[in-house]
Amino acid sequence: MDKDLKISRKKKINQAIAFSLFTFLSYFIVAILFVILAFLIYKGIGVLSWGFISEMPTDGMTSGGIYPAIIGTLILVFGSMLFAFPVGVMAAIYMNEYVKDGWIKRFIKLMTNNLAGVPSIVFGLFGMALFVNKLEFGDSILAGSLTLGLLALPVVIRTTEEALKAVDDTFRQASLGLGASKWQTTSKVVLPIAFPNIITGLILSIGRVSGETAPILFTVAAYFLPKLPSGIFDQVMALPYHLYVISTSGTNIEKSREMAYGTALILIIIVLISNLAASRLRKYFGKKVKMN
Amino acid sequence: MHKIESKNVNFYYGTNQALKDISLSIEKNTVTALIGPSGCGKSTYLRLFNRMNDLIDNTKLEGQILIDGVDIYAKSTNVDTLRKNVGMVFQKPNPFPKTIFENVAYGLRVNGVTDKKFIEERVINSIQQVALWDEVKDKLKKSAFELSGGQQQRLCIARALAIQPSVILMDEPTSALDPISTAKIEELVYELKDKYTIVIVTHNMQQAGRISDTTGFFYMGELIEFDQTKNIFTNPKEERTQNYITGRFG
Amino acid sequence: MKTNYKKFQEKFIEGLLMLSGTVTSLTVLLIVVFLFSEGLGVFNKKPIDDDFNLTIHAENRISKLSPSQVKNIFDQKIKNWKEVGGKDEKIILFKIDDISDFYTDDQLGKDFKNLSWCINDYIVKHRGVIAFFSKKYISKNFKGKILDVDKIKVSEFLSGDEWFPTARPVAQMGVKPLILGTLWVSLGAILIALPLGLAAAIYLSEIANSRIRNILKPLIELLAGIPSVVYGFFGLVIIVPLIQQLFNLPVGETALAGSVVLGIMALPTIITISEDAMRNTPRAMKEASLALGASKWQTIYKVVIPHSASGITAGAILGIGRAIGETMAVLMVTGNAAIIPTTLLEPVRTIPATIAAELGEAPNGGVHYQALFALGCILFIITLVINLLVEFVTKRKTLSKH
Ligand SMILES: Nc1ncnc2c1ncn2[C@@H]1O[C@H](COP(=O)(O)OP(=O)(O)OP(=O)(O)O)[C@@H](O)[C@H]1O
Ligand SMILES: [Mg+2]
């Protein structure tokens, strides 16, 4: 009995040590996050102003605002989603509602997973080779949006698929049982139920796309272009690329630090908003669905 | 002295009372069956005997449970020692992702046994007790997942036996098994009675009738009737018991 | 009629959906085609600028040299033609900048009008000469011999120690320093991220109560959402100077800085995937362990971790994959020196960073451009292997469950 108690005590001590270590490390990670956020917010908040987001950059991008970069990023996000969202949602519907389990499904799934794993710089290379050079779009909004769209595609497909999977099969059976066709069932029953989760996925991919730099380096991003584009074959500035440029190779890195902090903060704010919006939406719709 | 004694036990999940004023006593080396409709609190009650419910947040226990005359919820009680003394077998076979041998050795190892020879003897002995030895003696080093469901469940019983408990709790141990495996386990329970005190939850009336000495009928968190099995099945005092065992509800 | 129309509509929609379903496969295919057709093109090219020529004296026996021989000649490591299979003759390097040492302004003429003649003259007069100059200075009656250079070989590409694609006269395209740089940085990242990530995954899935988990999980998702260029910027302004001071280095832009930044970036992947795997451990399995008297911690390391081993492995592999492919953050903090790293405290250059830094300057379709695509191929193959590995690891798990 005495030995039992000793062992029991040893077990308790081991557990206490292990658990406090894990707890500590977890909070350490959270602390890292807070340091990153707090630092960038602290440095960036003073830079933010109406002028910062509404004016053209001046003096070799050491002062003025980042208006064209903001607009450029908005255009690119919109353009890429214009491609990735419908195609991705349709692909997911095909995968989840139409194709039967088998090698086709497995193959498409494998390819989608592979595409998701392809590094963003490779997308950049590909976009340059195909859109910029082969199809002769040049460095343009079109080329950049398509490149970003392809990058976002697996994300959209995956989140949509999950949303569709979460729809209980009984809904489908009930609808099909009433004589509705497959597409009627999908469009009238499945999609409305899955809609909130699909939109959540869309918002998250917007957050992702808006921060991507490598794919736009050689497909659209302009180093310095203090005017707005007039068509889809124009170049634009973009926030992530702008941050890269002014923090590493601008005309005067020291002088543009302020601008860099502001730009970094804007990027973080975009991510924060999209994450927040996604989780809000999930909660809001979650409640609504339950009430029905 | 009774082997297990339950005195006015109330149990709550949050505000939801799952057990209401349960009192009973169980004798040494007997098989006690707990029966009742789904959700009536059988599992909850069973899990009080090895303090498994401690793991669930936001629960509350009132009353007392004594094993060998000791209050198992007293401050001075060591949970490790209690769980070593009270083994448990679950509804679905749940071997660990380890070899057959290591599954059975697990309880010894986590309780600080290091003597190789001793562990080996115990493992072999326990596997023999559940009549699994001939089937697995050549593949002790193989993954336990390679066994059939019935074999896995017997392995889980062997695993519980290896640390030599005096009480074994079984929560619907055969509900996931085919009739042949079920028969084997029932036979085993009958044999184990010589050495252990067994409490078994079951939905199968015939099973309760075949293997148990005493039966308790639960209904909506209450213990409606607790008596010799033969009395419960041939001459129940309560109408609700009668209705249940004749299959009129539940 | 109506049902016919409906049937047609159904078919049409299904076709459309199927088409969308093939887009990802098609994209992968196109990526492969474009990447490899451009990338493999580099092995069909000579590592010498199309507009330039290497020339030697007409009587020199040599007619072809390998890129590394040319490099060694111009680095003056090879000083005699016999070392490359020619006659015993001292090698005389001729660079166009030196022309005025040999010819007067008068001879060269106004606006270097007679440059071609002078070059020709020089080459004719020196038996051991090797000259490198633009094709446009080759006159009609050129008396020298144009030297051929071997194509770039796959083996040289993969094992070459030097990456200097704009080097003259021959570009140096050895990817070894880049591959090693990538591996060093990624390995360092995973060494930082794996223990931290595992600890957090264990904490989230087994220790923290649901309230804390519901707060922490979104925070970790947030960590995943921050753009890599912001991580790079943070690394640049905080981690780089910190490392410089801490280790007393001349520059803080080092492999270590890259590893730290990438490690932070790989955390969410590792945490999310291993936590998912751990939470998939059947409750009954954990309870069985506890019921045998095991402590919670014993249950975690003896049951939960072995049970989720494949998920944890998958998380780690994917984390490495992320790190290998990451571009911007690394580009901004590792210093980008294409040298073979010997410690984590030196600047390194990774494959993705090389592509990002150089593609803008490489002329379309040239050797350099194609070499960068070849780097893309290497990167693509690595990620493919990683994906298949993950597929394999997770597949094995589903098999063992049944
Ligand atoms: N972890 C839990 N948290 C909250 N409530 C619970 C929990 N487990 C069980 N309950 C509730 O306690 C009541 C009794 O459940 P219990 O599992 O003991 O029933 P049971 O008799 O074993 O049923 P079954 O025959 O289906 O296994 C049920 O109403 C159930 O909803
Ligand atoms: Mg139960």
Side-chain angles (χ1 to χ4, degrees):
Chain A
M1 272 305 112
D2 207 37
K3 195 173 150 242
D4 271 7
L5 283 179
K6 232 162 102 186
I7 289 167
S8 176
R9 197 145 98 223
K10 204 174 134 209
K11 271 154 72 174
K12 277 208 185 89
I13 292 173
N14 280 346
Q15 166 155 327
I17 294 172
F19 279 20
S20 20
L21 184 69
F22 295 146
T23 314
F24 170 75
L25 291 179
S26 302
Y27 283 96
F28 178 65
I29 292 174
V30 175
I32 292 176
L33 176 72
F34 270 113
V35 168
I36 295 177
L37 288 184
F39 175 76
L40 292 178
I41 291 174
Y42 168 73
K43 289 284 203 173
I45 199 92
V47 183
L48 292 198
S49 69
W50 178 243
F52 185 67
I53 58 174
S54 69
E55 281 167 19
M56 296 289 167
T58 51
D59 294 333
M61 298 188 280
T62 55
S63 62
I66 55 167
Y67 179 62
I70 294 179
I71 296 299
T73 287
L74 285 181
I75 291 174
L76 289 176
V77 166
F78 182 76
S80 59
M81 284 303 135
L82 210 58
F83 166 76
F85 188 60
V87 175
V89 169
M90 286 200 290
I93 291 175
Y94 181 69
M95 291 279 283
N96 204 55
E97 308 292 321
Y98 279 77
V99 75
K100 290 187 196 72
D101 285 333
W103 73 269
I104 296 186
K105 187 166 178 171
R106 274 212 308 278
F107 180 77
I108 296 182
K109 206 159 219 157
L110 188 71
M111 284 304 171
T112 310
N113 280 346
N114 275 336
L115 196 61
V118 170
S120 51
I121 185 72
V122 173
F123 277 97
L125 274 175
F126 172 64
M128 178 174 190
L130 176 63
F131 300 124
V132 177
N133 293 338
K134 187 93 193 170
L135 299 177
E136 297 184 353
F137 295 162
D139 275 8
S140 62
I141 293 175
L142 186 60
S145 299
L146 285 173
T147 309
L148 282 176
L150 287 178
L151 176 118
L153 201 57
V155 187
V156 176
I157 292 179
R158 221 180 257 173
T159 47
T160 309
E161 252 196 297
E162 253 151 49
L164 294 174
K165 259 192 213 132
V167 177
D168 205 284
D169 248 352
T170 53
F171 288 109
R172 294 185 183 86
Q173 285 152 12
S175 167
L176 290 171
L178 290 169
S181 70
K182 191 139 209 173
W183 174 241
Q184 285 172 325
T185 304
T186 307
S187 61
K188 300 221 165 90
V189 178
V190 179
L191 281 182
I193 299 176
F195 181 73
N197 284 328
I198 296 180
I199 292 298
T200 312
L202 172 71
I203 294 177
L204 288 176
S205 22
I206 287 178
R208 165 98 196 269
V209 162
S210 57
E212 280 291 347
T213 319
I216 57 172
L217 278 178
F218 311 112
T219 53
V220 52
Y223 180 80
F224 177 63
L225 188 69
K227 67 174 179 59
L228 297 185
S230 54
I232 57 169
F233 289 104
D234 281 3
Q235 273 190 291
V236 283
M237 293 179 79
L239 284 172
Y241 183 58
H242 184 66
L243 174 58
Y244 167 64
V245 164
I246 58 178
S247 58
T248 58
S249 58
T251 49
N252 190 332
I253 297 177
E254 283 315 310
K255 264 197 182 162
S256 35
R257 262 294 125 80
E258 291 276 292
M259 301 277 291
Y261 283 120
T263 312
L265 184 55
I266 296 272
L267 276 168
I268 287 201
I269 289 174
I270 292 177
V271 171
L272 273 176
I273 289 178
S274 75
N275 274 33
L276 222 65
S279 81
R280 266 293 150 86
L281 210 70
R282 214 176 288 163
K283 250 184 215 149
Y284 172 74
F285 279 111
K287 260 187 209 134
K288 218 171 115 184
V289 168
K290 256 181 222 146
M291 272 187 330
N292 291 353
Chain B
M1 190 175 61
H2 306 293
K3 181 72 188 174
I4 304 177
E5 226 180 329
S6 158
K7 292 181 181 167
N8 307 98
V9 167
N10 290 311
F11 187 80
Y12 305 83
Y13 289 111
T15 53
N16 170 26
Q17 186 168 8
L19 294 171
K20 294 167 192 157
D21 196 31
I22 313 274
S23 297
L24 55 71
S25 42
I26 290 171
E27 301 312 318
K28 198 166 180 235
N29 296 355
T30 60
V31 176
T32 303
L34 306 180
I35 59 171
S38 192
C40 65
K42 308 177 296 285
S43 298
T44 303
Y45 187 57
L46 192 73
R47 291 158 57 91
L48 286 177
F49 295 143
N50 64 346
R51 293 185 54 171
M52 248 0 215
N53 289 333
D54 289 14
L55 305 169
I56 302 169
D57 289 336
N58 232 337
T59 56
K60 192 175 82 185
L61 173 80
E62 291 162 0
Q64 265 189 330
I65 293 179
L66 311 174
I67 293 181
D68 295 322
V70 179
D71 180 356
I72 60 169
Y73 283 89
K75 272 233 164 67
S76 58
T77 302
N78 184 297
V79 183
D80 288 345
T81 320
L82 168 75
R83 288 188 183 150
K84 254 180 78 181
N85 186 34
V86 182
M88 187 163 206
V89 178
F90 297 76
Q91 180 167 358
K92 278 203 198 119
N94 54 358
F96 300 131
K98 294 178 184 295
T99 62
I100 292 172
F101 184 93
E102 281 306 317
N103 260 278
V104 183
Y106 185 89
L108 297 166
R109 295 208 197 276
V110 297
N111 286 297
V113 180
T114 47
D115 183 345
K116 260 182 143 172
K117 196 110 201 183
F118 178 84
I119 292 179
E120 198 173 318
E121 268 169 29
R122 261 300 169 71
V123 170
I124 296 174
N125 192 269
S126 311
I127 297 179
Q128 280 167 342
Q129 271 193 78
V130 299
L132 194 62
W133 180 247
D134 290 335
E135 292 153 70
V136 303
K137 64 170 185 278
D138 297 325
K139 42 183 178 180
L140 292 175
K141 290 266 177 330
K142 291 259 170 69
S143 162
F145 292 125
E146 287 177 22
L147 298 175
S148 74
Q151 289 174 324
Q152 287 187 6
Q153 192 64 309
R154 275 183 284 153
L155 184 72
C156 291
I157 297 176
R159 184 173 69 185
L161 296 182
I163 45 173
Q164 299 197 325
S166 67
V167 177
I168 300 176
L169 311 173
M170 298 186 169
D171 195 346
E172 302 182 43
T174 62
S175 68
L177 303 181
D178 63 285
I180 295 175
S181 306
T182 301
K184 278 193 184 153
I185 300 239
E186 284 184 12
E187 201 178 310
L188 180 60
V189 170
Y190 198 80
E191 280 167 16
L192 291 175
K193 186 164 92 163
D194 289 346
K195 286 195 190 148
Y196 308 90
T197 307
I198 297 173
V199 186
I200 181 168
V201 170
T202 178
H203 274 286
N204 181 332
M205 291 312 118
Q206 284 89 2
Q207 185 170 74
R210 280 194 297 267
I211 60 175
S212 68
D213 306 295
T214 5
T215 297
F217 172 59
F218 281 75
Y219 185 65
M220 301 203 22
E222 284 177 68
L223 181 61
I224 306 296
E225 198 167 343
F226 186 71
D227 202 346
Q228 300 273 302
T229 299
K230 58 175 189 290
N231 291 343
I232 293 261
F233 281 90
T234 55
N235 188 17
K237 295 194 192 63
E238 292 278 334
E239 200 185 329
R240 278 178 289 186
T241 316
Q242 167 100 38
N243 286 345
Y244 182 71
I245 58 176
T246 53
R248 245 166 271 165
F249 69 86
Chain C
M1 232 7 242
K2 203 153 190 197
T3 53
N4 252 348
Y5 170 72
K6 200 172 147 189
K7 238 190 206 149
F8 172 76
Q9 192 195 5
E10 284 286 316
K11 279 272 166 264
F12 177 76
I13 288 169
E14 184 168 349
L16 201 66
L17 294 174
M18 191 166 80
L19 210 64
S20 309
T22 58
V23 168
T24 48
S25 314
L26 207 71
T27 310
V28 174
L29 195 79
L30 280 175
I31 290 182
V32 171
V33 168
F34 273 92
L35 229 53
F36 283 79
S37 68
E38 291 283 5
L40 294 179
V42 78
F43 302 119
N44 236 330
K45 283 236 165 99
K46 296 172 180 167
I48 182 165
D49 206 318
D50 281 344
D51 302 332
F52 282 75
N53 268 333
L54 271 174
T55 53
I56 49 178
H57 192 269
E59 281 163 34
N60 199 330
R61 285 214 296 253
I62 309 285
S63 58
K64 199 173 196 183
L65 285 176
S66 78
S68 61
Q69 283 172 328
V70 177
K71 175 181 188 292
N72 285 334
I73 287 175
F74 276 82
D75 286 353
Q76 299 188 347
K77 277 183 197 140
I78 295 180
K79 290 184 167 153
N80 194 305
W81 284 109
K82 77 178 174 196
E83 291 174 61
V84 292
K87 275 196 211 133
D88 187 2
E89 178 88 55
K90 214 170 158 260
I91 295 177
I92 301 166
L93 290 180
F94 172 74
K95 292 187 200 112
I96 201 146
D97 302 344
D98 307 332
I99 193 85
S100 49
D101 295 351
F102 308 115
Y103 297 93
T104 62
D105 285 356
D106 269 358
Q107 284 170 309
L108 284 168
K110 207 174 153 218
D111 294 333
F112 294 94
K113 204 167 59 198
N114 299 328
L115 187 57
S116 302
W117 181 88
C118 295
I119 294 173
N120 191 16
D121 186 60
Y122 187 88
I123 292 174
V124 169
K125 284 182 182 150
H126 296 82
R127 307 185 122 262
V129 77
I130 181 165
F132 178 71
F133 55 89
S134 170
K135 274 181 180 164
K136 67 182 179 208
Y137 298 130
I138 293 206
S139 52
K140 274 195 204 92
N141 51 0
F142 181 62
K143 297 271 168 43
K145 180 158 116 188
I146 295 175
L147 188 68
D148 203 3
V149 178
D150 280 335
K151 289 176 182 169
I152 299 167
K153 288 205 202 75
V154 180
S155 56
E156 277 176 14
F157 187 73
L158 291 177
S159 65
D161 288 343
E162 198 179 342
W163 177 264
F164 191 4
T166 50
R168 292 275 169 80
V170 286
Q172 294 305 306
M173 310 261 198
V175 296
K176 206 159 97 191
L178 310 183
I179 291 181
L180 287 178
T182 310
L183 290 182
W184 274 68
V185 174
S186 311
L187 229 62
I190 217 65
L191 283 182
I192 295 169
L194 198 58
L196 273 176
L198 263 183
I202 292 174
Y203 176 76
L204 284 175
S205 85
E206 306 296 325
I207 305 174
N209 63 33
S210 60
R211 222 192 58 230
I212 293 181
R213 190 172 49 241
N214 287 341
I215 298 173
L216 293 189
K217 279 216 80 168
L219 284 180
I220 284 164
E221 273 166 30
L222 190 69
L223 206 57
I226 297 177
S228 56
V229 66
V230 174
Y231 278 113
F233 179 63
F234 177 79
L236 196 64
V237 291
I238 293 289
I239 292 170
V240 165
L242 201 71
I243 286 178
Q244 185 184 359
Q245 278 170 17
L246 220 57
F247 297 98
N248 207 1
L249 301 171
V251 286
E253 276 107 343
T254 53
L256 181 63
S259 294
V260 171
V261 173
L262 282 189
I264 298 175
M265 293 175 70
L267 275 175
T269 311
I270 296 175
I271 296 177
T272 326
I273 295 179
S274 15
E275 199 234 5
D276 270 356
M278 287 187 203
R279 281 166 69 79
N280 270 336
T281 313
R283 215 178 92 150
M285 204 183 269
K286 288 192 236 169
E287 286 187 342
S289 166
L290 295 164
L292 288 165
S295 68
K296 243 176 141 175
W297 168 228
Q298 284 176 319
T299 304
I300 291 170
Y301 79 81
K302 286 184 174 238
V303 175
V304 177
I305 291 184
H307 180 268
S308 40
S310 64
I312 294 171
T313 319
I317 297 175
L318 279 177
I320 295 179
R322 285 282 139 80
I324 288 180
E326 175 48 45
T327 312
M328 298 318 288
V330 179
L331 181 61
M332 291 164 83
V333 301
T334 53
N336 298 316
I339 45 171
I340 293 184
T342 50
T343 75
L344 277 177
L345 295 176
E346 282 173 63
V348 291
R349 161 173 273 207
T350 68
I351 294 176
T354 306
I355 300 175
E358 294 176 8
L359 191 60
E361 300 150 14
N364 275 356
V367 201
H368 189 188
Y369 179 85
Q370 292 188 319
L372 294 177
F373 272 81
L375 289 185
C377 294
I378 294 179
L379 211 53
F380 184 79
I381 291 171
I382 293 176
T383 47
L384 203 70
V385 168
I386 281 178
N387 273 322
L388 294 179
L389 222 67
V390 168
E391 201 84 5
F392 172 74
V393 169
T394 41
K395 174 116 3 104
R396 225 186 35 188
K397 169 187 152 197
T398 35
L399 282 182
S400 71
K401 257 191 183 164
H402 292 292

